[in-house]
Amino acid sequence: MTSIAQLLAQSGLPLLEARMLLERVIGKTRAWLIAHADETAGADTEQAFASMAERRRQGEPIAYILGVREFYGLEFGVTRAVLIPRPETELLVELALARIPANAALRVLDLGTGSGAIAVTLAKLRPQARVTAVDIDYAALVLARANAKRHGVSVRFFCGDWFGALLGETFDLIVSNPPYVSSADPHLASGDVRFEPQRALLGGADGLDCIRAIVAKAGAHLDPGACLLFEHGYDQSEACCALLEAQGYAEVQSWPDLAGIPRVSGGRIAAMT
Ligand code: GLN
């Protein structure tokens, strides 16, 4: 007979990860697991935990095994159709929130929404905003819609290639966490990214293909004075600012994430004089 403590210890996983999986199997909190460490785990528990632990040992991200990940204090459903929301993307949300007054019905667009983490968070925290989200992947949109429902917000979802489904529409703010990893990046071969959809990660030889497309096309969908903000790789801020300037954006700037790495760049479409 195996106790809860033994199950955790024998899993071959870091204790924190083992606990996260066992919490899910038993449906109890971490405090409960600690308080009941000496209790015997049932055969069903043992079996369910063993299969989850094996997936984790094979490298599958915890977020995919559990089917959820927290982002900006909200829990989002995640599947292998989408990128797992990352803490650095909270910077993009913060910069967007600072540009969306609480009482204004601003039109906000999230390009390549994936799980919908950005669009749903903005809609939740700015209920007056009119949030639109697009993704090229239908399975991602199904999940994003479920996440909008989970948080009781209304977001318009479209399936399309960047602005392909938004002919003639304009916005007050466009945000995006596009694919921006170079296809030659060695970090694609290790850790969680191995399990994530390549379409959500890869931005061509220099990683900038999608950013180039977005920066080139966004101007036609931004009203004068409106902003474009997007996330990018640790070494791409100079190239991104150059792209924005070449397209005539004003107030072009990059902002550092919590690790001090320039992570988001953006600019404003000059107001007509
Ligand atoms: N930050 C992610 C990574 O390097 C990539 C996210 C993205 O391409 N949008 O793994």
Side-chain angles (χ1 to χ4, degrees):
M1 293 224 288
T2 318
S3 71
I4 284 174
Q6 283 167 326
L7 261 192
L8 293 169
Q10 291 163 8
S11 69
L13 298 175
L15 185 57
L16 181 66
E17 292 188 0
R19 278 204 185 120
M20 286 171 86
L21 299 180
L22 195 54
E23 278 165 32
R24 164 58 58 86
V25 171
I26 302 188
K28 303 278 190 195
T29 63
R30 189 158 317 169
W32 189 96
L33 280 191
I34 293 168
H36 296 77
D38 297 331
E39 282 182 24
T40 306
D44 288 353
T45 298
E46 249 188 77
Q47 211 170 11
F49 177 70
S51 87
M52 280 190 176
E54 175 56 17
R55 284 167 69 186
R56 182 60 191 142
R57 283 193 300 271
Q58 296 297 322
E60 191 172 342
I62 290 266
Y64 288 153
I65 301 173
L66 296 178
V68 289
R69 172 54 49 96
E70 192 195 299
F71 177 79
Y72 220 87
L74 300 172
E75 190 175 81
F76 287 90
V78 292
T79 68
R80 287 177 72 157
V82 300
L83 218 61
I84 299 164
R86 290 158 163 67
E88 59 266 31
T89 305
E90 294 182 347
L91 169 66
L92 180 59
V93 168
E94 250 156 44
L95 292 165
L97 288 173
R99 285 158 182 76
I100 310 172
N103 54 4
L106 249 53
R107 295 153 304 161
V108 179
L109 170 63
D110 176 25
L111 288 171
T113 196
S115 65
I118 297 169
V120 170
T121 303
L122 294 177
K124 183 84 187 169
L125 297 178
R126 291 291 184 271
Q128 300 296 319
R130 297 187 340 238
V131 181
T132 302
V134 301
D135 205 283
I136 198 164
D137 187 79
Y138 194 76
L141 284 170
V142 169
L143 177 70
R145 190 181 285 281
N147 278 322
K149 200 168 163 206
R150 178 191 279 243
H151 293 295
V153 299
S154 111
V155 173
R156 283 193 316 159
F157 289 103
F158 291 103
C159 195
D161 188 2
W162 303 131
F163 296 97
L166 300 168
L167 192 72
E169 286 210 39
T170 58
F171 298 89
D172 301 296
L173 174 66
I174 298 177
V175 297
S176 183
N177 174 17
Y180 56 70
V181 178
S182 150
S183 36
D185 191 324
H187 104 270
L188 290 166
S190 61
D192 285 3
V193 287
R194 287 172 299 161
F195 292 82
E196 293 185 300
Q198 297 227 324
R199 185 149 70 161
L201 285 166
L202 300 186
D206 64 356
L208 290 167
D209 284 1
C210 299
I211 288 175
R212 268 190 289 269
I214 290 170
V215 173
K217 292 175 182 166
H221 297 272
L222 287 165
D223 279 338
C227 285
L228 168 65
L229 290 170
F230 57 88
E231 183 176 316
H232 51 70
Y234 70 97
D235 57 354
Q236 293 172 336
S237 69
E238 271 182 39
C240 290
C241 289
L243 287 170
L244 287 161
E245 272 158 9
Q247 290 290 332
Y249 282 81
E251 298 169 36
V252 171
Q253 201 180 331
S254 298
W255 292 266
D257 62 18
L258 287 175
I261 298 165
R263 182 58 68 182
V264 173
S265 292
R268 188 182 292 280
I269 289 284
M272 281 184 275
T273 48

